[in-house]
């Protein structure tokens, strides 16, 4: 079972911070469009597959490839998005994360966490293990803010090859000034989520607390923040493992491996290689575009368990790409 | 796994047709309140457990008793209700069924069926069998209208001891006049749902079409309508079984067993007996009050499978009743 948690944060509307959409305004549509693409082959909420401004398709293409190969169940969870996904989905909230430079990011953090814990508890009755991915434009910045608030000197990856670290830093520092805190000044996970988080982080944190079994945290940067939140709340990390892509793990503009080690969470790296793709849109993954998202790394993990190699996944991704009009 | 599908129809607002609420206006709150009561012990959407005008508590008390005993997972599905349930739930639609005397009952029937089919397909990957219950005030009237439209001469049960069959008949005939059809004139299940159905019937019909394994249809009257819709759409009924309560199966004002036989769907009857209850609110079940709902009969079926007798369920219901302030 893979959950794909959808969230929006106003942070993605800041110019230059997210390329999870052809322009900042379009990042509002990306989470529902991602899962609609997986289920139906094309989005419904908007008439185009999410792309970067340069036209690189959403990493949902990797998740979809693994899903079509290995046929694992997917449950979509709306943690808090601008638009309702046009697929059956678990409703947690329809409120998006706010721009944390101007006010609390997530006044309803506690409510999201509680509902998500309840969801996690119920899932425990049916599943020994779950994987959890997400689609959240701007989510690496909120994740980094949460990590800094909790005292982890992390640089998070970006879907852009030129990681806008300087801009992320300025935005986060502006948020810290609003609250009147400095690096590492927050101990309480709910406070970190309320002040700097987003619906996705709160929801996955809650699911992980409620669920009793093993969890594959399918993602890079944001799953580090979830791990740090869990640790801060006293949850042991033995039953959690991050599954991400090579492009995140090897990202020199970020600190994935170091941060994972300092939090003390295990990780697995999907050995995807798109360098021989027929399509520039996929070859560009090797140049730092896109990298991860929509549970791509974790989906490869599930596909490998079902006997499909990264090469099989790559071939399926090529096939799906050929069906896209990008 | 038990799904509890929530729906509203404006039909419940017709005076005298439904007692699934202390008054017609309050029937709007019953579906979310039922599942909130199961999960939290008290409703959140409104500050009172759903009761009949005479104060009999919701049959969700039986479902909750079985759930607490056998600990099966419950997934709430919002097929279409006035209010959002304050529990994690699968969102299908937030549009309620309309009064079919005045216009189409469910213009979005096809969309609900498609989304629900998709949900059923995904559930197939995780579960070999599901149970499906519902909470839908007024739902026995829409069910009866659908059965008549499809040509089954059924009288459906009511939560009231004096089944308002005369009123149901007048309401249904007014709906038939609007469409200009007579008894048995509809062959197509989507047309039956659009003209006379409700969100719950459309949703359960879709789930059953998409799901590949066995289905326990946890309910009485409305599950007959679902079975008839499935049969009309060419789905074989071998993998379906209705699980209902004695109070429905033995209801002399209705035709449960005869209708089940003429549709050709198997059924199981929960041998609950509340005649020795300490509480009048429960003893009155034996006088024809409430009878079934929120998957009560199917929940007893699941509890029995886990080794709990009807007597165990009765004791747990008594215990839960003692915690209610009704």
């Amino acid at each position: 079972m893979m959950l794909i948690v959808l969230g929006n944060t106003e942070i993605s509307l800041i110019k230059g911070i997210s390329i999870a959409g052809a322009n900042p305004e379009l990042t509002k549509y990306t989470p529902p469009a991602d899962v609609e693409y997986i289920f139906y082959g094309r989005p419904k909420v908007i008439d185009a597959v999410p792309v970067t401004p340069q036209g690189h398709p959403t990493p949902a293409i990797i998740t979809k490839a693994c899903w079509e190969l290995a046929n694992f169940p997917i449950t979509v969870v709306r943690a808090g998005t601008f638009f309702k996904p046009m697929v059956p989905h678990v409703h947690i909230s329809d409120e998006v994360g706010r721009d944390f430079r101007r006010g609390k990011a997530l006044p309803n953090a506690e409510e999201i966490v509680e509902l998500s814990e309840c969801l996690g508890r119920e899932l425990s009755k049916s599943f020994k293990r779950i994987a959890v991915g997400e689609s959240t434009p701007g989510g690496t910045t909120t994740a980094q803010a949460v990590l800094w608030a909790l005292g982890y000197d992390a640089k998070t990856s970006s879907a852009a090859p030129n990681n806008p670290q300087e801009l992320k830093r300025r935005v986060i520092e502006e948020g810290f000034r609003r609250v009147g805190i400095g690096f590492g000044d927050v101990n309480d996970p709910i406070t970190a989520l309320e002040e700097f988080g987003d619906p996705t982080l709160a929801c996955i944190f809650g699911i992980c607390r409620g669920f009793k079994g093993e969890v594959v945290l399918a993602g890079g940067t944001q799953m580090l923040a979830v791990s740090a939140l869990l640790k801060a709340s006293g949850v042991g990390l033995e039953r959690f493992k991050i599954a991400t892509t090579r492009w995140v793990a090897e990202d020199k503009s970020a600190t994935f491996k170091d941060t994972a080690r300092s939090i003390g969470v295990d990780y697995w790296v999907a050995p995807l290689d798109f360098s021989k793709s027929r399509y520039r849109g996929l070859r560009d993954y090797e140049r730092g575009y896109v990298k991860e998202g929509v549970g791509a790394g974790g989906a490869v993990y599930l596909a490998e368990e079902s006997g499909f190699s990264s090469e099989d996944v790559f071939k399926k991704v090529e096939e799906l790409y050929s069906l896209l009009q990008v």
Side-chain angles (χ1 to χ4, degrees), chain A:
Chain A
M1 161 64 78
M2 175 171 235
L3 305 178
I4 299 181
V5 177
L6 308 183
N8 281 114
T9 159
E10 289 173 354
I11 293 290
S12 78
L13 306 177
I14 301 170
K15 199 165 165 272
I17 216 145
S18 170
I19 62 162
N23 63 53
E25 191 60 23
L26 287 179
T27 63
K28 292 182 177 176
Y29 293 91
T30 298
D34 272 341
V35 292
E36 290 163 3
Y37 166 63
I38 292 176
F39 275 77
Y40 305 120
R42 47 182 298 275
K44 292 191 168 186
V45 68
I46 188 173
D47 194 25
V49 168
V51 292
T52 68
Q54 302 79 16
H56 306 94
T58 166
I61 196 171
I62 300 173
T63 312
K64 182 173 173 62
C66 298
W67 182 68
E68 294 198 359
L69 289 172
N71 201 33
F72 47 79
I74 287 182
T75 297
V76 173
V77 182
R78 184 185 187 190
T81 55
F82 286 106
F83 303 105
K84 184 171 70 177
M86 310 278 276
V87 299
H89 61 273
V90 178
H91 179 96
I92 296 291
S93 150
D94 47 20
E95 285 177 50
V96 306
R98 302 298 165 195
D99 184 337
F100 58 63
R101 297 173 304 178
R102 302 202 189 106
K104 275 186 196 297
L106 207 60
N108 63 337
E110 198 148 2
E111 188 196 333
I112 294 181
V113 170
E114 268 174 34
L115 284 170
S116 305
E117 259 192 77
C118 181
L119 172 63
R121 271 195 305 276
E122 283 306 294
L123 287 168
S124 294
K125 297 179 183 172
S126 302
F127 303 99
K128 288 211 163 60
R129 195 194 60 190
I130 54 172
V132 189
E134 56 67 48
S135 173
T136 322
T140 66
T141 303
T142 44
Q144 186 163 316
V146 165
L147 284 164
W148 284 15
L150 294 172
Y152 297 94
D153 190 14
K155 285 184 191 154
T156 60
S157 281
S158 158
N162 48 338
N163 191 343
Q165 270 299 337
E166 181 53 28
L167 174 58
K168 286 184 184 177
R169 189 185 56 71
R170 266 188 285 125
V171 168
I172 295 170
E173 285 177 355
E174 207 174 321
F176 279 24
R177 270 199 301 279
R178 174 186 61 81
V179 185
I181 62 146
F183 178 91
D185 280 353
V186 177
N187 299 312
D188 172 47
I190 297 293
T191 305
L193 286 166
E194 271 178 2
E195 296 295 351
F196 309 112
D198 61 50
T200 299
L201 292 175
C203 177
I204 301 181
F205 171 70
I207 290 168
C208 288
R209 279 167 55 108
F211 189 74
K212 302 289 175 285
E214 283 177 39
V215 180
V216 177
L217 293 166
T221 288
Q222 284 134 289
M223 298 307 168
L224 292 171
V226 169
S227 305
L229 288 163
L230 288 167
K231 189 177 180 183
S233 80
V235 175
L237 295 179
E238 307 75 26
R239 62 190 173 90
F240 299 91
K241 179 194 283 180
I242 297 180
T244 191
T245 63
R246 241 185 67 228
W247 307 301
V248 164
E250 297 175 359
D251 179 2
K252 288 195 171 54
S253 74
T255 59
F256 176 81
K257 292 180 181 178
D258 287 345
T259 307
R261 263 189 296 267
S262 64
I263 297 168
V265 63
D266 198 12
Y267 61 86
W268 177 88
V269 179
L272 291 170
D273 183 346
F274 286 177
S275 61
K276 300 214 167 56
S277 173
R278 276 176 289 159
Y279 304 103
R280 200 178 69 108
L282 294 175
R283 284 197 306 275
D284 277 356
Y285 271 67
E286 301 296 336
R287 294 173 54 216
Y289 281 99
V290 186
K291 289 194 186 73
E292 167 66 290
V294 202
V300 176
Y301 184 89
L302 297 182
E304 289 215 349
E305 273 196 341
S306 295
F308 298 95
S309 68
S310 292
E311 184 65 22
D312 296 332
V313 173
F314 168 61
K315 279 181 193 152
K316 190 75 185 175
V317 169
E318 292 261 294
E319 184 190 320
L320 292 174
Y321 193 93
S322 74
L323 301 172
L324 292 179
Q325 286 146 343
V326 287

